[in-house]
Amino acid sequence: EINRYVWLFIWFKKGIKLSNFLRKIGIDKRRKIFKDIHDSLGGKLRLFVAGAAAFDPKLSKGLNDLGVETYQGYGLTETSPVIAAEHRKCIRTGSVGKILPSLQGKIVDQNENGIGEIAVKGPSVMLGYYENEEATNDTIKDGWLHTGDLGYVYDNGSIIFCGRADRQVKINGKRIELEGIENAALQNCDVRRAVATVKKGGIILYCESNSEDEKSVRDAICESLPPYMLPTAVCVLEYIPINSNGKVCVSELPDVDIVLEQRKGSDDD
């Protein structure tokens, strides 16, 4: 039985390599190579369209490798609701696609990595919040709706979503997106859940895993994060507490002893 699973794993990996090679020369045989998998899913599954929350890049790549295309879209209720979306000629893992032709978009207050708040304007953007002038003025400035979401523009014009602006913190003069740290752990480590939070002036990364330890997590994320984004401490737990809505109970996370190190950076950055 074990040998059977080993053989299936080897077959699957070789199928991926063959499929990727053929696609580079313009031949797409994914659905034939992985016919058994497609048949087990009903045989007619062609694509996934994801919205409302970020699609796991590893899952997206895995589905695309099998011949099931995945498209992501992005928007808000205030924008009726789509701002950007992928399509067949504009797909990149981790992207939410290009701004719709009917809208204008820009990235404001960018940091040194080009990450800033996504702002949009156009006919499908709301005029304001009903009978709430204060909230309207906080959100719409000079005709631009400030989404409260962070992102940057990739070289093909696609937007890469980086999380909420209210989860951006400043440590030693550097603006850091906590979701960027969480995503690095989820994409590079064998963890089920990751939560980055600020405690005692440092960033603590909590990971839920039965196979990783603090050192292996830190070593893995070091390869994908710049030094100033590395967490001050890593804590691996068997279970991260969540509430009935599926959100992390930050107050129930254990305290971690941390030693703050002076890092390069100025509050003027």
Side-chain angles (χ1 to χ4, degrees), residues 71 85-92 95-98 156-158:
Y71 300 154
E86 291 184 299
H87 54 82
R88 182 178 289 274
K89 295 182 179 180
C90 178
I91 301 176
R92 182 182 185 275
S95 161
V96 295
K98 293 183 178 181
N156 70 346
S158 296

Side-chain angles (χ1 to χ4, degrees), residues 236-251:
V236 176
L237 306 171
E238 291 186 4
Y239 173 75
I240 287 179
I242 58 174
N243 60 25
S244 58
N245 294 322
K247 295 185 177 181
V248 174
C249 299
V250 177
S251 61

Side-chain angles (χ1 to χ4, degrees), residues 46-162:
R46 187 170 60 87
L47 63 86
F48 274 101
V49 178
F55 202 33
D56 184 341
K58 289 190 292 186
L59 179 57
S60 176
K61 183 180 184 304
L63 288 169
N64 279 309
D65 285 345
L66 293 175
V68 179
E69 294 184 347
T70 59
Y71 300 154
Q72 281 203 90
Y74 162 70
L76 310 172
T77 301
E78 291 88 339
T79 58
S80 305
V82 182
I83 292 174
E86 291 184 299
H87 54 82
R88 182 178 289 274
K89 295 182 179 180
C90 178
I91 301 176
R92 182 182 185 275
T93 301
S95 161
V96 295
K98 293 183 178 181
I99 297 284
L100 297 185
S102 60
L103 296 175
Q104 298 177 56
K106 64 180 181 179
I107 307 296
V108 300
D109 298 328
Q110 297 181 34
N111 64 15
E112 59 270 29
N113 297 313
I115 298 173
E117 185 178 8
I118 301 169
V120 294
K121 66 187 301 186
S124 58
V125 175
M126 71 169 188
L127 299 177
Y129 294 106
Y130 181 65
E131 294 185 350
N132 195 336
E133 184 176 355
E134 182 180 355
T136 298
N137 293 336
D138 286 341
T139 304
I140 301 178
K141 302 171 184 177
D142 297 324
W144 290 88
L145 184 142
H146 290 242
T147 63
D149 293 324
L150 297 173
Y152 66 91
V153 180
Y154 191 60
D155 55 15
N156 70 346
S158 296
I159 292 178
I160 309 297
F161 180 80
C162 298

Side-chain angles (χ1 to χ4, degrees), residues 169-176 198 201-203 228 232 263 267:
V169 298
K170 198 169 187 179
I171 303 290
N172 292 323
K174 297 286 188 179
R175 286 185 288 178
I176 298 173
V198 176
I203 297 175
Y228 73 89
T232 313
R263 297 176 181 172
D267 288 338

Side-chain angles (χ1 to χ4, degrees), residues 156-250:
N156 70 346
S158 296
I159 292 178
I160 309 297
F161 180 80
C162 298
R164 291 288 300 168
D166 55 15
R167 295 207 66 214
Q168 184 182 77
V169 298
K170 198 169 187 179
I171 303 290
N172 292 323
K174 297 286 188 179
R175 286 185 288 178
I176 298 173
E177 293 77 36
L178 296 178
E179 286 192 31
I181 300 174
E182 295 167 354
N183 289 334
L186 291 169
Q187 294 171 25
N188 296 288
C189 309
D190 182 19
V191 300
R192 294 182 296 275
R193 186 176 284 111
V195 181
T197 186
V198 176
K199 290 188 177 184
K200 302 177 183 178
I203 297 175
I204 301 176
L205 174 63
Y206 295 90
C207 295
E208 182 177 296
S209 176
N210 292 324
S211 59
E212 299 278 8
D213 58 26
E214 284 78 5
K215 184 179 185 304
S216 64
V217 170
R218 181 174 290 278
D219 289 346
I221 63 176
C222 276
E223 298 178 4
S224 59
L225 291 176
Y228 73 89
M229 283 188 67
L230 294 176
T232 313
V234 175
C235 178
V236 176
L237 306 171
E238 291 186 4
Y239 173 75
I240 287 179
I242 58 174
N243 60 25
S244 58
N245 294 322
K247 295 185 177 181
V248 174
C249 299
V250 177

